[in-house]
Amino acid sequence: MTSPFAQAHTMFLVLVSPTGQYSIWPAVLRVPAGWQVVHGVASRLSCEAFAAAARLDLSAAA
């Protein structure tokens, strides 16, 4: 079985942890406890762009 992270047609979410870490997560998997969905269901590219922009916003605020 191929991992949902590696499948080309998989749609993704962007999650944020209680400590502010961002993660791209396959939409077909259950969101881990404590994490919140902040973007998606969307393509991997869309989710990567969202997470990168969010990380830049955080570093600019520091």
Side-chain angles (χ1 to χ4, degrees), residues 14-41:
V14 178
L15 308 180
V16 67
S17 75
T19 60
Q21 296 177 316
Y22 285 81
S23 179
I24 297 171
W25 193 255
V28 298
L29 298 179
R30 185 181 344 196
V31 174
W35 290 72
Q36 291 184 308
V37 176
V38 293
H39 179 74
V41 172

Side-chain angles (χ1 to χ4, degrees), residues 5 15 18 20 27 29 34 38 40 46 50 55-56 61-62:
F5 288 93
L15 308 180
L29 298 179
V38 293
S46 174
F50 181 90
R55 289 181 188 118
L56 286 175

Side-chain angles (χ1 to χ4, degrees), residues 43-54:
S43 70
R44 184 179 192 104
L45 286 175
S46 174
C47 289
E48 288 172 349
F50 181 90

